[in-house]
Amino acid sequence: MASVSILKCQNYEETEVVQIMNKLLDSIGLDKITGKKILLKPNILYAAQPEKAVTTHPAVLKAIIKYLQKNGNTVFAGDSPAFQNQEAAASKAGLKQVADECGVPWQDFTQTAAIPAPEGKLVKSFQLASILNDVDIVISLPKMKTHSLMYYTGAIKNMFGLVPGLSKSALHLRFPDRDNFAQMIVDLNLAVKPNYAIMDAIVGMEGPGPGSGKPRQVGLLLASDNVLALDMTAARIIGYKPETLPILSQALASGFWLKTGEEIDYPLEKAENLLIKDYKLIHHLHDASMFRDYMPEWAFRLIKNLTVKRPIFNPNICKLCKECVRICPAKALSVQENRIKVDYTKCIRCYCCHEICSHHAITLKKKLF
Ligand code: SF4
Ligand code: SF4
């Protein structure tokens, strides 16, 4: 039976995090892992200070590094934000400093290698960070967050950061429908097969995540050797039915991590005692993809334009940094007359622009219904 260890941890005070983390990691059997090369993959969506709750907190990374090093492991860490300089983004998040302090080399994910995904449904090979070929163990370190496109983001979605920089945009363009995008993320996880997940849910993000939501005190740390079991647990705690979430339902359907209906064991805190009633979730959006097979392309585009949330840019908040223009996979954005213009006929509703706008100048709204 899959199992997820959960412990309460109310703040990021170093001594407290270390003490609780040690107990948590013992509980998932990481104390038996010695002499291995281990890659830690925190979540750095964009350069943001830890208190914004966009990124995995440095106190969590530090406690994990210290634990693994104490057991004689060689630890590496890294992530690839969408477009920013990787080290600068990691520094703003406080993660690079922790890695430096602990003698952990920060990895440059721009070096890539072909990683086969023979069990993938849509993708049979990914171009991912080449460090994957040099390590024995991969650990996903997600932040508990809502996600405007996928509703929830956790251990499985966090692995998308192994795709370097703007190559992520190319995958958004290749898989514009929500379900296909979710399947691609599952395929990527079947290629990498992350060995463990440790989630920072001391402060999560609620509302329009993963970049524009608000920090939310949750007071938990979660760990498991099963990424799907961890994600199903975290999603359930914040109020989702996990099997209705695109990534989790397709990961479940793959049968690799869990069997349908399989129970999850909670050896420490019980998930059912930790459910949050008022976490601000992303409500399931209309998805026009179901109409694609029944109408001509022009009609499908019209329906999609009217019924699916679109990004709206607020010129009073926008700083014209053009980061959204750079990341947009559909080339739907431009600067005209000192404001961002959107070509909604090109926009594929991937919400990458909304995700990375650190000034929160973009909201998602439906035109109709
Ligand atoms: S909308 Fe946001 S990301 Fe785009 S130019 Fe304005 S501030 Fe920058
Ligand atoms: S405008 Fe925004 S939502 Fe539309 S395709 Fe570009 S990045 Fe995606």
Side-chain angles (χ1 to χ4, degrees):
M1 184 191 290
S3 112
V4 178
S5 295
I6 313 172
L7 282 173
K8 291 179 183 166
C9 184
Q10 295 302 337
N11 61 66
Y12 290 106
E13 196 274 314
E14 188 172 331
T15 317
E16 186 173 348
V17 174
V18 167
Q19 191 185 13
I20 294 169
M21 188 64 80
N22 288 350
K23 192 171 168 195
L24 192 72
L25 301 190
D26 283 352
S27 152
I28 62 168
L30 268 176
D31 53 330
K32 295 174 195 70
I33 303 295
T34 60
K36 299 288 185 196
K37 289 184 183 167
I38 301 177
L39 175 65
L40 300 178
K41 161 63 181 77
N43 180 210
I44 308 177
L45 178 66
Y46 59 72
Q49 296 101 334
E51 58 274 17
K52 302 282 186 195
V54 172
T55 53
T56 309
H57 198 281
V60 170
L61 179 69
K62 187 172 179 179
I64 297 166
I65 291 173
K66 292 279 185 198
Y67 180 96
L68 296 170
Q69 286 180 330
K70 186 182 67 192
N71 292 341
N73 297 293
T74 305
V75 182
F76 304 87
D79 192 14
S80 170
F83 55 88
Q84 291 163 322
N85 174 283
Q86 299 185 22
E87 293 208 356
S91 294
K92 189 149 185 187
L95 296 165
K96 175 79 171 38
Q97 294 86 327
V98 161
D100 289 348
E101 187 189 325
C102 299
V104 166
W106 194 261
Q107 292 305 298
D108 179 358
F109 283 6
T110 53
Q111 306 293 321
T112 65
I115 307 291
E119 298 142 297
K121 259 193 185 173
L122 297 179
V123 184
K124 296 291 183 191
S125 176
F126 287 89
Q127 205 64 34
L128 301 177
S130 59
I131 180 76
L132 289 169
N133 283 333
D134 301 327
V135 295
D136 308 303
I137 288 175
V138 176
I139 305 183
S140 180
L141 306 184
K143 186 86 170 164
M144 175 186 269
K145 291 193 286 184
T146 47
H147 194 283
S148 292
L149 181 65
M150 291 289 133
Y151 312 127
Y152 157 86
T153 173
I156 295 178
K157 174 68 173 56
N158 183 39
M159 289 290 102
F160 193 42
L162 292 165
V163 176
L166 285 169
S167 300
K168 289 191 260 302
S169 296
L171 285 166
H172 274 286
L173 194 60
R174 191 170 154 202
F175 301 105
D177 293 340
R178 187 176 287 109
D179 285 345
N180 281 345
F181 186 78
Q183 184 62 57
M184 179 276 295
I185 295 287
V186 171
D187 290 355
L188 191 155
N189 277 265
L190 288 168
V192 176
K193 297 192 171 72
N195 306 76
Y196 297 91
I198 305 163
M199 174 175 272
D200 168 13
I202 297 175
V203 177
M205 177 180 281
E206 63 178 5
S212 296
K214 294 259 183 307
R216 168 70 192 250
Q217 175 71 27
V218 176
L220 297 175
L221 288 168
L222 296 85
S224 179
D225 61 359
N226 186 315
V227 288
L228 179 57
L230 182 136
D231 274 346
M232 300 218 26
T233 301
R236 187 176 158 222
I237 286 173
I238 63 175
Y240 282 119
K241 287 185 179 159
E243 58 285 352
T244 67
L245 300 173
I247 292 177
L248 305 196
S249 69
Q250 297 194 41
L252 198 56
S254 77
F256 180 77
W257 292 278
L258 287 171
K259 296 188 177 46
T260 306
E262 182 178 335
E263 290 198 9
I264 299 171
D265 182 41
Y266 298 107
L268 301 175
E269 296 282 349
K270 308 290 176 208
E272 54 269 31
N273 298 332
L274 302 168
L275 307 183
I276 301 171
K277 298 267 185 300
D278 61 347
Y279 205 93
K280 290 191 179 62
L281 302 175
I282 308 287
H283 293 292
H284 286 218
L285 308 169
H286 286 288
D287 193 334
S289 56
M290 63 182 145
F291 299 115
R292 187 184 279 280
D293 295 339
Y294 305 107
M295 53 181 57
E297 185 62 24
W298 66 267
F300 170 72
R301 279 176 180 268
L302 182 65
I303 291 278
K304 189 167 180 175
N305 235 341
L306 295 175
T307 60
V308 180
K309 280 186 181 181
R310 50 168 59 192
I312 308 288
F313 293 72
N314 185 335
N316 298 323
I317 301 175
C318 175
K319 305 285 185 238
L320 280 181
C321 66
K322 299 188 203 166
E323 290 184 343
C324 54
V325 177
R326 288 172 59 204
I327 201 172
C328 176
K331 307 277 178 263
L333 301 178
S334 58
V335 179
Q336 290 176 33
E337 295 167 357
N338 281 329
R339 55 201 292 168
I340 298 291
K341 290 279 180 200
V342 194
D343 181 343
Y344 287 112
T345 62
K346 286 186 179 171
C347 171
I348 58 171
R349 310 308 200 260
C350 65
Y351 309 141
C352 291
C353 51
H354 174 261
E355 257 184 45
I356 55 86
C357 178
S358 56
H359 303 288
H360 308 317
I362 306 170
T363 49
L364 301 176
K365 289 194 180 135
K366 271 186 254 178
K367 189 162 188 186
L368 281 181
F369 313 119

